[in-house]
Amino acid sequence: MKHASYDSDCIFCKIIAGEIPSQKVYEDEEVFAFNDINPGAPIHFLIIPKKHLPMLESAQSQDAPLLGRMMELAPRLAQKQGCRPGKEGGFRVMVNNGADGGQEVYHLHLHVLGGPRPWKK
Ligand code: 5GP
Ligand code: ZN
């Protein structure tokens, strides 16, 4: 189903709507998470808001709780996907923002990478 801010030019909006298949990791009213198609580590998934925010500067102060929830979900979903907890385990959270930041898909997303090293990226 298309969400309120669905953008027909955005592949991640299409993934949320189920128009492009993905390996879903998590979904609730506001957030969707799925495995990256080109993983840079043994575990690599993306956490995205359902709201089509192209990049960090698209977020307004009213979006702060949403961004906070995405961060708070990261460790829970990382463990669910097989990352080891605590200091010995862990994971990397990354946002590529804008062309100089290496952003390719303009729907804000947190990369979560983990699992045993070495990693590809
Ligand atoms: P960015 O460079 O914008 O931070 O990252 C975009 C990420 O989305 C890349 O890691 C890329 O592999 C992933 N990606 C791009 N298209 C698709 C897709 O259709 N399905 C999935 N699952 N991941 C995608
Ligand atoms: Zn989008």
Side-chain angles (χ1 to χ4, degrees):
M1 211 181 76
K2 292 185 174 65
H3 46 286
S5 62
Y6 178 91
D7 178 339
S8 57
D9 293 327
C10 172
I11 58 170
F12 286 180
C13 279
K14 289 184 170 162
I15 284 176
I16 295 164
E19 294 166 356
I20 294 175
S22 70
Q23 288 181 341
K24 183 161 84 175
V25 168
Y26 176 82
E27 179 173 15
D28 65 29
E29 293 236 308
E30 292 183 320
V31 178
F32 195 90
F34 56 103
N35 282 327
D36 196 294
I37 204 166
N38 181 23
I43 296 162
H44 185 179
F45 61 93
L46 305 174
I47 303 177
I48 67 177
K50 287 190 171 173
K51 182 176 181 182
H52 178 81
L53 296 170
M55 53 200 299
L56 279 173
E57 45 266 65
S58 315
Q60 309 289 307
S61 54
Q62 72 257 25
D63 299 310
L66 174 59
L67 301 188
R69 285 207 54 237
M70 290 164 59
M71 287 293 277
E72 183 265 333
L73 268 169
R76 251 189 313 137
L77 299 185
Q79 273 195 56
K80 183 181 166 214
Q81 293 308 105
C83 294
R84 294 180 302 147
K87 266 177 140 178
E88 289 71 32
F91 52 88
R92 171 177 293 163
V93 176
M94 199 170 68
V95 178
N96 298 328
N97 195 65
D100 287 348
Q103 186 172 9
E104 288 174 359
V105 177
Y106 281 83
H107 182 127
L108 179 64
H109 49 282
L110 299 187
H111 290 261
V112 182
L113 297 100
R117 288 178 179 270
W119 294 353
K120 203 166 89 188
K121 282 178 188 165

